[in-house]
Amino acid sequence: MPKNLTQKILDAHVLNDVHTPGQPADLKIDQTLTQDATGTMAYIQLEAMGVDQVKTELSVSYVDHNTLQSGFMNADDHAYLQSVAAKHGVLFSRPGNGICHQVHLERFARPGKTLIGSDSHTPTAGAMASIAMGAGGLDVAKAMAGLPYTIPYPQVVEVRLEGKLPHGVSAKDIILELLRRRSVKGGVGKVFEYTGPGVKELSVYQRATITNMGAELGATTSIFPSDERTREFLASQNREDDWMELGADDGAVYNDLEVIDLSTLAPAAACPNSPDAVKSITELAGQKVDQVAIGSCTNSGFEDMMKAAAILEGHTIADNVSLVVSPGSRQVLMKLMDNGALASFVKAGARILECTCGPCIGMGQSPKSEGVSLRTFNRNFYGRSGTLSAGVYLVSPETAAASAIAGVFADPRDLDYPDTDFEEHPFIDDSLILAPSDHPEDVEIIRGPNIRPLPINEELPDSFEKKVVIKLGDNITTDHIAPAGAEVLPYRSNIEKLSTFVFRNNKEGFDKVCKENGGGIIVAGDNYGQGSSREHAALAPMYLGIKAVMAKSFARIHLANLINFGILPLTFRNPEDFDTIDEFDTLVFENLDALDPEQPLLVKNATKGYVYEMDCQFTEGDLPTLHAGGTLNRIRKMQSENE
Ligand code: MIC
Ligand code: SF4
C-alpha cells in the first residue's frame, strides 16, 4: 500500500501498531529541543524522574526567549540550564546563538527523524522532512527519558502547490492564504503535507516559514519532502551526509486536499488579533504604520533578511516608523555583517536587536498606545506585544520593509529589488553550542533563588464541588491563560509568582478568586488553549486549584498539558449547555473513582438545577495519570512501588 510522507515517517516510529487517524499512537522520538522559557521546567521534571543521561539521539537546550536579564531571574535560569545540560547529555546553545527553530533547522534537523520540542513552532523542522511537533515540557522530558510521545494518529491533508510565486509575494503569503481558508482551528488533528510542482520552487528557508506558521492552524505539524533543494541547503551547511531523498510514494492517499496556485497569490496581512484574520495588502494600503519588526522564528532566515535589506538599501525609514530587526541566528547575523546587508539596515535607520525572540514574545519593543505594528512574526494574539490597545499585523519581510519606508501599508510588488535565492555559503561556527560534560558526575547543578521546586498536585478525589471561576469564549490562547512578556517570563520557574498573572488581561485578580473559593472550574468555548506549548498554562491553574476545564473543544498541546498536570479536560456533549452556565455557579462532580472515558461524565449544576453530559477528552491510558493528580505524581508512585 503506497504511503504518504507523513505515514512513512510515523509508521517507522510507531511503537504500538496504531495507524488509524484519531487513535493514540505511541511514537519513538529521535530528537528533542527545549528553549529557556519552557526548558527550566522540563529539566526540573527530568531531574524529578531520576534520569541520568538522556536517551535520545540528540537533545538540544536553547536560550533564546528570556534574554533581557533585568534582575537576576533570567540569568539564574540560564546558569541552571547550562549546568543541567552538561550533566545530563544535552547540547547547550548559548544566548546569542539564535532562535531555537532557526538554529535547529540549520545545524541539526534531519529528513526522516522525529523531533519534539517544548515550543509550539517546533514544526519548523518539517521543512527538512522531519516529523517535528510542539509538546509540553513534561512530554519533552519524558522523551529525553526514552519514553514514547503519544499523539492521536493524524489525518493527512495534501497541500498541492502549483505555479511559482510572483515578484513581491512571499512564502509568508502562502501560509496566510492557508490560514485564511482553514482558520486557527482548521488543523487540529491534522498534518499538512506539501506536494506538487510548486514545492521545488521554494527554498528550505521559505518552506520553514510555512511549516513554522502551520502551528497557527492548530495542526499537529506540517511537512515538505526532502529533495534536491534540501540537499543543497544541507550541503551549504556542511551537512550533506545528513541528506536522504524522502517523499510520498506514487499513488499515496490523503484524507483531504487543498490546492494553492502560487502564481495567483498576493501580499497579505493577518489583522488584529488572530493569525487567520487575513486581508490583502491592497485592502490595507495607505493606512498609517507606527512600528515595523523584522525577525522571529518565522521570517529571520538569511533570504528573508536579504530581501528586506535589498528593499531598504538606499532609503531611510519614514519619520513616523520605528524599525527593529532581529536576525534568527548568529550564522545569519555574521553573514549579513560580511556582505554589508547589516549596514543597509543600519543606514536605513533600523535598530538592531539580539538574535532572539525579542518583541515576538513581548521582550521589549511594545508598540505605542493604539499603535499599528507590522511584524514578520506568526502570532498577534491579544496583549502579546505588551500594549493592549495596539494593533499587530503579521506580514512578510518584503511587505514589512516596503511599509517601513512608506510609513503606511505598502505593496512590495511595486518595488524593484532582486528575487534571488541568495544561496551563498553561510557562515558556520558552532562555538556557542556547548557539548555535554565528559564527566557528568562532577557537574554540579546551579540552582539560584529563581529555580523553585515544582508544585505538587493532590490525587483526584472521588467527588468534589467547585465554583465556575471564569467563563470564556472561543479561541482562548495560552497567552490569555499564562501571559508572556518581559514582566512575567522571568517567573517561568517560579510557579507561585507566575500564578498571580493568570488571566490577568481577562479577569484582574483571578488568582485571588481561586484562592477565596478553594480553586474552581474553567468554562470555555471552542479551541481552548490554542497557541503556544507552554505547560505553565496548565501548571499555574493547577497550582490555583483548578480541577477541570469544561470547553466546547481543545487545542492539541494544551489538552495534553492539562492531562499531564491532572486537570480534567471535558467537552459539552450538547453545546447549548454552555449557555446555561454562569460564573460562580456551583458544579458537582461525583463517582470519579469509576471514571470511564467511553461514558459521559454527569456534572450537576447545583445553582441552576441542570445536569450536563460531558465527554471525556482523555483515554483509558490517561486514567492512572489523572487519578494520581498528574504525570509526575504517577511516575513517583511507580518509582516507589518498584523500590
Ligand atoms: C510562543 O511563541 O508563544 C512561545 C513563547 O515560543 C511559546 C513557548 C513559551 O510560551 O515559552 C510556544 O510557542 O510554545
Ligand atoms: Fe520565539 Fe516568537 Fe518563535 Fe515563539 S514564535 S519561538 S516567541 S520567535
Side-chain angles (χ1 to χ4, degrees), residues 3 40 89 143 167 181 191 243 310 321 330 373 378 402 421 438 493 544 615 617 628:
K3 288 183 178 179
T40 43
H167 172 73
R181 292 188 195 179
V191 172
W243 182 74
V321 169
R330 180 167 160 266
S373 179
N378 47 32
D421 265 354
D438 293 334
S493 25
L544 294 173
D615 283 321
Q617 294 304 315

mmCIF file with all atom_site columns, all heavy atoms in Angstrom, residues 3 40 89 143 167 181 191 243 310 321 330 373 378 402 421 438 493 544 615 617 628:
data_model
loop_
_atom_site.group_PDB
_atom_site.id
_atom_site.type_symbol
_atom_site.label_atom_id
_atom_site.label_alt_id
_atom_site.label_comp_id
_atom_site.label_asym_id
_atom_site.label_entity_id
_atom_site.label_seq_id
_atom_site.pdbx_PDB_ins_code
_atom_site.Cartn_x
_atom_site.Cartn_y
_atom_site.Cartn_z
_atom_site.occupancy
_atom_site.B_iso_or_equiv
_atom_site.pdbx_formal_charge
_atom_site.auth_seq_id
_atom_site.auth_comp_id
_atom_site.auth_asym_id
_atom_site.auth_atom_id
_atom_site.pdbx_PDB_model_num
ATOM 1   N N   . LYS A 1 3   ? 2.357   4.882  0.642  1.00 0.00 ? 3   LYS A N   1
ATOM 2   C CA  . LYS A 1 3   ? 2.158   5.752  1.814  1.00 0.00 ? 3   LYS A CA  1
ATOM 3   C C   . LYS A 1 3   ? 2.520   7.180  1.478  1.00 0.00 ? 3   LYS A C   1
ATOM 4   O O   . LYS A 1 3   ? 3.408   7.429  0.654  1.00 0.00 ? 3   LYS A O   1
ATOM 5   C CB  . LYS A 1 3   ? 3.074   5.293  2.951  1.00 0.00 ? 3   LYS A CB  1
ATOM 6   C CG  . LYS A 1 3   ? 2.656   3.995  3.589  1.00 0.00 ? 3   LYS A CG  1
ATOM 7   C CD  . LYS A 1 3   ? 3.559   3.637  4.752  1.00 0.00 ? 3   LYS A CD  1
ATOM 8   C CE  . LYS A 1 3   ? 3.075   2.347  5.385  1.00 0.00 ? 3   LYS A CE  1
ATOM 9   N NZ  . LYS A 1 3   ? 3.891   1.918  6.484  1.00 0.00 ? 3   LYS A NZ  1
ATOM 10  N N   . THR A 1 40  ? 13.387  25.326 31.632 1.00 0.00 ? 40  THR A N   1
ATOM 11  C CA  . THR A 1 40  ? 13.722  25.153 33.055 1.00 0.00 ? 40  THR A CA  1
ATOM 12  C C   . THR A 1 40  ? 12.788  24.114 33.663 1.00 0.00 ? 40  THR A C   1
ATOM 13  O O   . THR A 1 40  ? 13.239  23.168 34.308 1.00 0.00 ? 40  THR A O   1
ATOM 14  C CB  . THR A 1 40  ? 13.604  26.486 33.828 1.00 0.00 ? 40  THR A CB  1
ATOM 15  O OG1 . THR A 1 40  ? 12.423  27.149 33.424 1.00 0.00 ? 40  THR A OG1 1
ATOM 16  C CG2 . THR A 1 40  ? 14.790  27.384 33.577 1.00 0.00 ? 40  THR A CG2 1
ATOM 17  N N   . GLY A 1 89  ? 23.744  15.178 29.377 1.00 0.00 ? 89  GLY A N   1
ATOM 18  C CA  . GLY A 1 89  ? 23.999  14.745 27.998 1.00 0.00 ? 89  GLY A CA  1
ATOM 19  C C   . GLY A 1 89  ? 23.276  15.550 26.942 1.00 0.00 ? 89  GLY A C   1
ATOM 20  O O   . GLY A 1 89  ? 22.948  15.026 25.873 1.00 0.00 ? 89  GLY A O   1
ATOM 21  N N   . ALA A 1 143 ? 10.342  12.225 26.761 1.00 0.00 ? 143 ALA A N   1
ATOM 22  C CA  . ALA A 1 143 ? 11.033  11.743 25.548 1.00 0.00 ? 143 ALA A CA  1
ATOM 23  C C   . ALA A 1 143 ? 12.536  11.666 25.800 1.00 0.00 ? 143 ALA A C   1
ATOM 24  O O   . ALA A 1 143 ? 13.203  10.718 25.361 1.00 0.00 ? 143 ALA A O   1
ATOM 25  C CB  . ALA A 1 143 ? 10.729  12.662 24.370 1.00 0.00 ? 143 ALA A CB  1
ATOM 26  N N   . HIS A 1 167 ? 6.823   38.119 -8.297 1.00 0.00 ? 167 HIS A N   1
ATOM 27  C CA  . HIS A 1 167 ? 7.694   39.078 -7.625 1.00 0.00 ? 167 HIS A CA  1
ATOM 28  C C   . HIS A 1 167 ? 6.913   39.800 -6.519 1.00 0.00 ? 167 HIS A C   1
ATOM 29  O O   . HIS A 1 167 ? 5.775   40.222 -6.742 1.00 0.00 ? 167 HIS A O   1
ATOM 30  C CB  . HIS A 1 167 ? 8.225   40.102 -8.642 1.00 0.00 ? 167 HIS A CB  1
ATOM 31  C CG  . HIS A 1 167 ? 8.971   41.237 -8.013 1.00 0.00 ? 167 HIS A CG  1
ATOM 32  N ND1 . HIS A 1 167 ? 10.233  41.084 -7.482 1.00 0.00 ? 167 HIS A ND1 1
ATOM 33  C CD2 . HIS A 1 167 ? 8.625   42.536 -7.810 1.00 0.00 ? 167 HIS A CD2 1
ATOM 34  C CE1 . HIS A 1 167 ? 10.631  42.251 -6.985 1.00 0.00 ? 167 HIS A CE1 1
ATOM 35  N NE2 . HIS A 1 167 ? 9.676   43.147 -7.174 1.00 0.00 ? 167 HIS A NE2 1
ATOM 36  N N   . ARG A 1 181 ? -8.057  30.275 4.554  1.00 0.00 ? 181 ARG A N   1
ATOM 37  C CA  . ARG A 1 181 ? -9.003  29.239 4.122  1.00 0.00 ? 181 ARG A CA  1
ATOM 38  C C   . ARG A 1 181 ? -9.445  28.331 5.264  1.00 0.00 ? 181 ARG A C   1
ATOM 39  O O   . ARG A 1 181 ? -10.583 27.893 5.311  1.00 0.00 ? 181 ARG A O   1
ATOM 40  C CB  . ARG A 1 181 ? -8.356  28.340 3.059  1.00 0.00 ? 181 ARG A CB  1
ATOM 41  C CG  . ARG A 1 181 ? -8.093  29.036 1.752  1.00 0.00 ? 181 ARG A CG  1
ATOM 42  C CD  . ARG A 1 181 ? -7.644  28.016 0.727  1.00 0.00 ? 181 ARG A CD  1
ATOM 43  N NE  . ARG A 1 181 ? -7.042  28.629 -0.444 1.00 0.00 ? 181 ARG A NE  1
ATOM 44  C CZ  . ARG A 1 181 ? -6.567  27.943 -1.462 1.00 0.00 ? 181 ARG A CZ  1
ATOM 45  N NH1 . ARG A 1 181 ? -6.622  26.618 -1.472 1.00 0.00 ? 181 ARG A NH1 1
ATOM 46  N NH2 . ARG A 1 181 ? -6.023  28.556 -2.490 1.00 0.00 ? 181 ARG A NH2 1
ATOM 47  N N   . VAL A 1 191 ? -2.018  16.715 9.838  1.00 0.00 ? 191 VAL A N   1
ATOM 48  C CA  . VAL A 1 191 ? -0.698  17.106 9.354  1.00 0.00 ? 191 VAL A CA  1
ATOM 49  C C   . VAL A 1 191 ? -0.898  17.674 7.951  1.00 0.00 ? 191 VAL A C   1
ATOM 50  O O   . VAL A 1 191 ? -1.648  17.112 7.153  1.00 0.00 ? 191 VAL A O   1
ATOM 51  C CB  . VAL A 1 191 ? 0.266   15.892 9.308  1.00 0.00 ? 191 VAL A CB  1
ATOM 52  C CG1 . VAL A 1 191 ? 1.569   16.260 8.612  1.00 0.00 ? 191 VAL A CG1 1
ATOM 53  C CG2 . VAL A 1 191 ? 0.551   15.370 10.716 1.00 0.00 ? 191 VAL A CG2 1
ATOM 54  N N   . TRP A 1 243 ? 21.710  14.207 4.455  1.00 0.00 ? 243 TRP A N   1
ATOM 55  C CA  . TRP A 1 243 ? 20.627  14.228 3.475  1.00 0.00 ? 243 TRP A CA  1
ATOM 56  C C   . TRP A 1 243 ? 20.212  12.839 3.031  1.00 0.00 ? 243 TRP A C   1
ATOM 57  O O   . TRP A 1 243 ? 21.032  11.927 2.922  1.00 0.00 ? 243 TRP A O   1
ATOM 58  C CB  . TRP A 1 243 ? 21.064  15.019 2.226  1.00 0.00 ? 243 TRP A CB  1
ATOM 59  C CG  . TRP A 1 243 ? 19.966  15.125 1.203  1.00 0.00 ? 243 TRP A CG  1
ATOM 60  C CD1 . TRP A 1 243 ? 18.867  15.918 1.291  1.00 0.00 ? 243 TRP A CD1 1
ATOM 61  C CD2 . TRP A 1 243 ? 19.852  14.409 -0.030 1.00 0.00 ? 243 TRP A CD2 1
ATOM 62  N NE1 . TRP A 1 243 ? 18.068  15.746 0.183  1.00 0.00 ? 243 TRP A NE1 1
ATOM 63  C CE2 . TRP A 1 243 ? 18.646  14.830 -0.648 1.00 0.00 ? 243 TRP A CE2 1
ATOM 64  C CE3 . TRP A 1 243 ? 20.645  13.454 -0.672 1.00 0.00 ? 243 TRP A CE3 1
ATOM 65  C CZ2 . TRP A 1 243 ? 18.219  14.330 -1.875 1.00 0.00 ? 243 TRP A CZ2 1
ATOM 66  C CZ3 . TRP A 1 243 ? 20.208  12.957 -1.893 1.00 0.00 ? 243 TRP A CZ3 1
ATOM 67  C CH2 . TRP A 1 243 ? 19.009  13.391 -2.489 1.00 0.00 ? 243 TRP A CH2 1
ATOM 68  N N   . ALA A 1 310 ? 17.574  44.439 0.856  1.00 0.00 ? 310 ALA A N   1
ATOM 69  C CA  . ALA A 1 310 ? 17.601  44.930 -0.533 1.00 0.00 ? 310 ALA A CA  1
ATOM 70  C C   . ALA A 1 310 ? 16.542  46.009 -0.748 1.00 0.00 ? 310 ALA A C   1
ATOM 71  O O   . ALA A 1 310 ? 16.779  46.993 -1.445 1.00 0.00 ? 310 ALA A O   1
ATOM 72  C CB  . ALA A 1 310 ? 17.379  43.761 -1.497 1.00 0.00 ? 310 ALA A CB  1
ATOM 73  N N   . VAL A 1 321 ? 7.857   55.919 11.634 1.00 0.00 ? 321 VAL A N   1
ATOM 74  C CA  . VAL A 1 321 ? 8.038   54.471 11.845 1.00 0.00 ? 321 VAL A CA  1
ATOM 75  C C   . VAL A 1 321 ? 9.278   54.186 12.676 1.00 0.00 ? 321 VAL A C   1
ATOM 76  O O   . VAL A 1 321 ? 10.340  54.773 12.475 1.00 0.00 ? 321 VAL A O   1
ATOM 77  C CB  . VAL A 1 321 ? 8.161   53.745 10.482 1.00 0.00 ? 321 VAL A CB  1
ATOM 78  C CG1 . VAL A 1 321 ? 8.609   52.298 10.672 1.00 0.00 ? 321 VAL A CG1 1
ATOM 79  C CG2 . VAL A 1 321 ? 6.849   53.778 9.731  1.00 0.00 ? 321 VAL A CG2 1
ATOM 80  N N   . ARG A 1 330 ? 23.009  33.540 14.815 1.00 0.00 ? 330 ARG A N   1
ATOM 81  C CA  . ARG A 1 330 ? 24.317  34.196 14.743 1.00 0.00 ? 330 ARG A CA  1
ATOM 82  C C   . ARG A 1 330 ? 24.954  33.941 13.381 1.00 0.00 ? 330 ARG A C   1
ATOM 83  O O   . ARG A 1 330 ? 25.634  34.801 12.826 1.00 0.00 ? 330 ARG A O   1
ATOM 84  C CB  . ARG A 1 330 ? 25.173  33.614 15.868 1.00 0.00 ? 330 ARG A CB  1
ATOM 85  C CG  . ARG A 1 330 ? 26.564  34.143 15.994 1.00 0.00 ? 330 ARG A CG  1
ATOM 86  C CD  . ARG A 1 330 ? 27.110  33.680 17.329 1.00 0.00 ? 330 ARG A CD  1
ATOM 87  N NE  . ARG A 1 330 ? 28.555  33.718 17.376 1.00 0.00 ? 330 ARG A NE  1
ATOM 88  C CZ  . ARG A 1 330 ? 29.337  32.682 17.101 1.00 0.00 ? 330 ARG A CZ  1
ATOM 89  N NH1 . ARG A 1 330 ? 28.807  31.515 16.773 1.00 0.00 ? 330 ARG A NH1 1
ATOM 90  N NH2 . ARG A 1 330 ? 30.645  32.795 17.161 1.00 0.00 ? 330 ARG A NH2 1
ATOM 91  N N   . SER A 1 373 ? 1.393   48.048 14.437 1.00 0.00 ? 373 SER A N   1
ATOM 92  C CA  . SER A 1 373 ? 2.695   47.398 14.341 1.00 0.00 ? 373 SER A CA  1
ATOM 93  C C   . SER A 1 373 ? 2.649   46.310 13.275 1.00 0.00 ? 373 SER A C   1
ATOM 94  O O   . SER A 1 373 ? 1.814   45.407 13.335 1.00 0.00 ? 373 SER A O   1
ATOM 95  C CB  . SER A 1 373 ? 3.060   46.798 15.700 1.00 0.00 ? 373 SER A CB  1
ATOM 96  O OG  . SER A 1 373 ? 4.307   46.155 15.609 1.00 0.00 ? 373 SER A OG  1
ATOM 97  N N   . ASN A 1 378 ? 4.536   35.273 13.758 1.00 0.00 ? 378 ASN A N   1
ATOM 98  C CA  . ASN A 1 378 ? 3.480   34.299 13.480 1.00 0.00 ? 378 ASN A CA  1
ATOM 99  C C   . ASN A 1 378 ? 2.240   34.481 14.351 1.00 0.00 ? 378 ASN A C   1
ATOM 100 O O   . ASN A 1 378 ? 1.240   33.810 14.141 1.00 0.00 ? 378 ASN A O   1
ATOM 101 C CB  . ASN A 1 378 ? 4.020   32.875 13.614 1.00 0.00 ? 378 ASN A CB  1
ATOM 102 C CG  . ASN A 1 378 ? 4.829   32.702 14.891 1.00 0.00 ? 378 ASN A CG  1
ATOM 103 O OD1 . ASN A 1 378 ? 4.542   33.336 15.904 1.00 0.00 ? 378 ASN A OD1 1
ATOM 104 N ND2 . ASN A 1 378 ? 5.842   31.854 14.837 1.00 0.00 ? 378 ASN A ND2 1
ATOM 105 N N   . ALA A 1 402 ? 8.913   47.377 2.816  1.00 0.00 ? 402 ALA A N   1
ATOM 106 C CA  . ALA A 1 402 ? 8.287   48.379 1.939  1.00 0.00 ? 402 ALA A CA  1
ATOM 107 C C   . ALA A 1 402 ? 7.478   49.372 2.771  1.00 0.00 ? 402 ALA A C   1
ATOM 108 O O   . ALA A 1 402 ? 7.519   50.592 2.530  1.00 0.00 ? 402 ALA A O   1
ATOM 109 C CB  . ALA A 1 402 ? 7.388   47.684 0.912  1.00 0.00 ? 402 ALA A CB  1
ATOM 110 N N   . ASP A 1 421 ? 17.735  33.740 -4.851 1.00 0.00 ? 421 ASP A N   1
ATOM 111 C CA  . ASP A 1 421 ? 17.697  32.791 -3.747 1.00 0.00 ? 421 ASP A CA  1
ATOM 112 C C   . ASP A 1 421 ? 18.775  33.073 -2.707 1.00 0.00 ? 421 ASP A C   1
ATOM 113 O O   . ASP A 1 421 ? 18.745  32.528 -1.616 1.00 0.00 ? 421 ASP A O   1
ATOM 114 C CB  . ASP A 1 421 ? 17.927  31.378 -4.277 1.00 0.00 ? 421 ASP A CB  1
ATOM 115 C CG  . ASP A 1 421 ? 16.608  30.698 -4.531 1.00 0.00 ? 421 ASP A CG  1
ATOM 116 O OD1 . ASP A 1 421 ? 15.588  31.283 -4.186 1.00 0.00 ? 421 ASP A OD1 1
ATOM 117 O OD2 . ASP A 1 421 ? 16.643  29.587 -5.080 1.00 0.00 ? 421 ASP A OD2 1
ATOM 118 N N   . ASP A 1 438 ? 32.157  15.420 29.732 1.00 0.00 ? 438 ASP A N   1
ATOM 119 C CA  . ASP A 1 438 ? 32.653  14.035 29.692 1.00 0.00 ? 438 ASP A CA  1
ATOM 120 C C   . ASP A 1 438 ? 32.640  13.413 31.084 1.00 0.00 ? 438 ASP A C   1
ATOM 121 O O   . ASP A 1 438 ? 32.820  12.213 31.247 1.00 0.00 ? 438 ASP A O   1
ATOM 122 C CB  . ASP A 1 438 ? 34.099  14.014 29.160 1.00 0.00 ? 438 ASP A CB  1
ATOM 123 C CG  . ASP A 1 438 ? 34.149  14.426 27.705 1.00 0.00 ? 438 ASP A CG  1
ATOM 124 O OD1 . ASP A 1 438 ? 33.130  14.231 27.015 1.00 0.00 ? 438 ASP A OD1 1
ATOM 125 O OD2 . ASP A 1 438 ? 35.192  14.975 27.282 1.00 0.00 ? 438 ASP A OD2 1
ATOM 126 N N   . SER A 1 493 ? 10.100  29.700 36.162 1.00 0.00 ? 493 SER A N   1
ATOM 127 C CA  . SER A 1 493 ? 10.499  28.591 37.048 1.00 0.00 ? 493 SER A CA  1
ATOM 128 C C   . SER A 1 493 ? 10.063  28.872 38.485 1.00 0.00 ? 493 SER A C   1
ATOM 129 O O   . SER A 1 493 ? 10.603  28.283 39.420 1.00 0.00 ? 493 SER A O   1
ATOM 130 C CB  . SER A 1 493 ? 12.001  28.320 36.952 1.00 0.00 ? 493 SER A CB  1
ATOM 131 O OG  . SER A 1 493 ? 12.707  29.445 36.531 1.00 0.00 ? 493 SER A OG  1
ATOM 132 N N   . LEU A 1 544 ? -3.429  26.909 41.300 1.00 0.00 ? 544 LEU A N   1
ATOM 133 C CA  . LEU A 1 544 ? -4.535  27.702 41.859 1.00 0.00 ? 544 LEU A CA  1
ATOM 134 C C   . LEU A 1 544 ? -5.754  26.839 42.197 1.00 0.00 ? 544 LEU A C   1
ATOM 135 O O   . LEU A 1 544 ? -6.795  27.363 42.581 1.00 0.00 ? 544 LEU A O   1
ATOM 136 C CB  . LEU A 1 544 ? -4.941  28.805 40.868 1.00 0.00 ? 544 LEU A CB  1
ATOM 137 C CG  . LEU A 1 544 ? -3.893  29.894 40.626 1.00 0.00 ? 544 LEU A CG  1
ATOM 138 C CD1 . LEU A 1 544 ? -4.333  30.822 39.495 1.00 0.00 ? 544 LEU A CD1 1
ATOM 139 C CD2 . LEU A 1 544 ? -3.628  30.699 41.895 1.00 0.00 ? 544 LEU A CD2 1
ATOM 140 N N   . ASP A 1 615 ? -18.274 14.932 27.675 1.00 0.00 ? 615 ASP A N   1
ATOM 141 C CA  . ASP A 1 615 ? -17.423 13.897 27.072 1.00 0.00 ? 615 ASP A CA  1
ATOM 142 C C   . ASP A 1 615 ? -16.002 14.042 27.591 1.00 0.00 ? 615 ASP A C   1
ATOM 143 O O   . ASP A 1 615 ? -15.470 15.157 27.698 1.00 0.00 ? 615 ASP A O   1
ATOM 144 C CB  . ASP A 1 615 ? -17.425 14.030 25.548 1.00 0.00 ? 615 ASP A CB  1
ATOM 145 C CG  . ASP A 1 615 ? -18.709 13.486 24.952 1.00 0.00 ? 615 ASP A CG  1
ATOM 146 O OD1 . ASP A 1 615 ? -19.180 12.436 25.460 1.00 0.00 ? 615 ASP A OD1 1
ATOM 147 O OD2 . ASP A 1 615 ? -19.254 14.101 24.021 1.00 0.00 ? 615 ASP A OD2 1
ATOM 148 N N   . GLN A 1 617 ? -12.170 13.994 27.339 1.00 0.00 ? 617 GLN A N   1
ATOM 149 C CA  . GLN A 1 617 ? -11.168 14.166 26.271 1.00 0.00 ? 617 GLN A CA  1
ATOM 150 C C   . GLN A 1 617 ? -9.855  13.514 26.689 1.00 0.00 ? 617 GLN A C   1
ATOM 151 O O   . GLN A 1 617 ? -8.786  14.109 26.624 1.00 0.00 ? 617 GLN A O   1
ATOM 152 C CB  . GLN A 1 617 ? -10.982 15.650 25.952 1.00 0.00 ? 617 GLN A CB  1
ATOM 153 C CG  . GLN A 1 617 ? -12.206 16.284 25.341 1.00 0.00 ? 617 GLN A CG  1
ATOM 154 C CD  . GLN A 1 617 ? -12.675 15.569 24.079 1.00 0.00 ? 617 GLN A CD  1
ATOM 155 O OE1 . GLN A 1 617 ? -11.876 15.235 23.213 1.00 0.00 ? 617 GLN A OE1 1
ATOM 156 N NE2 . GLN A 1 617 ? -13.974 15.307 23.989 1.00 0.00 ? 617 GLN A NE2 1
ATOM 157 N N   . ALA A 1 628 ? -3.856  9.997  39.721 1.00 0.00 ? 628 ALA A N   1
ATOM 158 C CA  . ALA A 1 628 ? -2.682  10.299 40.570 1.00 0.00 ? 628 ALA A CA  1
ATOM 159 C C   . ALA A 1 628 ? -2.507  11.806 40.768 1.00 0.00 ? 628 ALA A C   1
ATOM 160 O O   . ALA A 1 628 ? -1.720  12.243 41.602 1.00 0.00 ? 628 ALA A O   1
ATOM 161 C CB  . ALA A 1 628 ? -1.430  9.702  39.938 1.00 0.00 ? 628 ALA A CB  1
#
